[in-house]
Amino acid sequence: MAGKRDELAQGGDERDGQSPVEQGPADGEKDVRDEKDGAADDALAADAEGSDGPDGAPAPRRTLSTPIWVAVCVIALVAGVALGHFGLGGASTIALEGKTSLSSSELDSTIATYTFDGVTTNVTAREVITSGGSELDTALNDDGSYSVPAAANVLVYAQNEIILQDAERRGITASDDELSSYAEQTLGSSDIASIAESYGMDEESVRAMLEQRVLVEKLRDAVCETELPDQPSAPAEPEEGAEDTPTAEYASYIIALLGDEWDSEAGTWARTDGSYYATLSSYAITADSATYAAAEAAYNIASSLYSEAYSQVSDEWQTYTRNLLSGATIQIGSLVAS
């Protein structure tokens, strides 16, 4: 289990110390996810499935740290956006000069503020520490104090909240069915209670985590003109010795990728000016017969098309979020770098 937890942590540690505007697109999918974030979500799914410890004993509960939440919950933004400035003072704040820990009574005091759309919002240490379902124990020191959240994590939290607020003011919501579908897709289960138990989280936190991800994805889809297709899955490899044997399964796989380039009624190409014809026309493909080599070639084309669309969506999303976040400011009391 320790190995799985380390693998899970690596999915987020790549982004530790970075604000979401510095992370590049995420999609847990390229959803928009790149393969790196897909690996983070895959690690979550694998960890949820492989929950037994040595000798079949129940594994210890797991939690998602703030950096993991960044990998799981943020569909990422763009580098080059600087928000606000460091240094914070005020009646409900803590003077943090040189301070690296807080008492339990200070967790709900303001350590930062951010202003967006004319509204200033306070940020507490507890909110940052527990964002994404993390437990307070993740910041608990041996002496009973709590580590002051790193400035980078405070910035990530504030920027995530701004993005979610933008989704809310656009009237974007996440239905129960959408949460279940997303959980099934990324975590391998739609049972929120089971997910919560597996990760040592409460069900409310799991729902909030899933809702945030769905809202940001729907916001991305609403503001980006380019439509991101489903990320293709590789065809199943044939059994040894059957590499050149045509099958109906490979034909169905290819035709599903071809879309309007294939005429299902005629059982042949509908047009020859599409993305697939130049490569696949050299293979013998019928409505019920195609080889693994042809399916693999179709997969390579589909993957390339997906990458191109993903890059375009990424550019559009980054432009949008750059403009959105440039209208916000944040003041951070924590000067802790990491």
Side-chain angles (χ1 to χ4, degrees):
M1 178 53 61
K4 289 184 178 179
R5 188 182 295 110
D6 291 342
E7 178 183 5
L8 183 62
Q10 290 171 4
D13 286 346
E14 292 175 345
R15 288 183 164 78
D16 197 5
Q18 297 182 7
S19 73
V21 295
E22 297 172 322
Q23 288 167 11
D27 256 12
E29 312 145 25
K30 284 181 183 173
D31 87 269
V32 313
R33 296 183 310 185
D34 58 14
E35 294 176 357
K36 185 184 300 179
D37 285 327
D41 282 349
D42 290 343
L44 284 168
D47 205 9
E49 293 170 359
S51 57
D52 289 341
D55 302 323
R61 289 185 175 183
R62 302 172 298 281
T63 59
L64 301 179
S65 65
T66 295
I68 296 301
W69 170 67
V70 174
V72 172
C73 291
V74 176
I75 303 176
L77 316 178
V78 60
V81 180
L83 297 186
H85 56 278
F86 291 90
L88 178 66
S92 61
T93 67
I94 301 171
L96 289 173
E97 295 86 349
K99 194 167 187 175
T100 61
S101 62
L102 304 171
S103 67
S104 58
S105 64
E106 295 174 311
L107 291 174
D108 293 314
S109 297
T110 299
I111 62 170
T113 66
Y114 65 87
T115 302
F116 173 67
D117 203 21
V119 178
T120 298
T121 302
N122 293 336
V123 176
T124 68
R126 186 187 302 273
E127 288 173 324
V128 178
I129 294 170
T130 61
S131 58
S134 294
E135 296 183 355
L136 281 173
D137 288 349
T138 62
L140 183 62
N141 299 318
D142 292 339
D143 62 1
S145 65
Y146 294 86
S147 297
V148 173
N153 288 342
V154 178
L155 181 61
V156 165
Y157 174 84
Q159 291 176 322
N160 289 341
E161 289 298 304
I162 290 169
I163 295 166
L164 292 169
Q165 288 177 27
D166 186 50
E168 180 180 1
R169 70 178 181 177
R170 288 172 172 271
I172 297 174
T173 59
S175 69
D176 288 343
D177 286 345
E178 288 171 328
L179 297 187
S180 295
S181 176
Y182 184 80
E184 185 71 40
Q185 177 187 9
T186 59
L187 300 177
S189 172
S190 59
D191 188 337
I192 290 180
S194 295
I195 296 171
E197 181 178 3
S198 179
Y199 287 98
M201 299 165 62
D202 59 69
E203 293 183 34
E204 183 178 352
S205 295
V206 172
R207 284 187 61 85
M209 181 182 71
L210 294 171
E211 182 179 23
Q212 289 168 357
R213 186 62 183 262
V214 170
L215 288 175
V216 177
E217 288 194 14
K218 292 179 72 173
L219 174 62
R220 180 209 66 198
D221 292 342
V223 301
C224 294
E225 294 182 0
T226 300
E227 182 178 353
L228 188 67
D230 292 335
Q231 187 171 10
S233 297
E237 294 186 7
E239 295 182 1
E240 187 175 355
E243 291 83 358
D244 298 325
T245 302
T247 69
E249 288 74 17
Y250 289 135
S252 296
Y253 173 88
I254 294 170
I255 290 171
L257 292 178
L258 295 182
D260 64 2
E261 294 187 37
W262 183 263
D263 186 336
S264 295
E265 291 186 3
T268 188
W269 292 95
R271 56 192 180 93
T272 60
D273 60 348
S275 302
Y276 290 88
Y277 181 79
T279 297
L280 296 185
S281 59
S282 60
Y283 295 91
I285 300 172
T286 68
D288 56 8
S289 176
T291 63
Y292 172 70
E296 192 173 34
Y299 168 70
N300 290 335
I301 297 170
S303 295
S304 178
L305 293 173
Y306 178 86
S307 295
E308 291 174 6
Y310 162 73
S311 179
Q312 183 61 36
V313 169
S314 174
D315 289 343
E316 293 172 10
W317 177 239
Q318 290 175 359
T319 297
Y320 180 79
T321 51
R322 177 189 292 115
N323 292 334
L324 175 69
L325 294 175
S326 66
T329 58
I330 182 169
Q331 294 178 300
I332 305 178
S334 169
L335 297 180
V336 181
S338 61

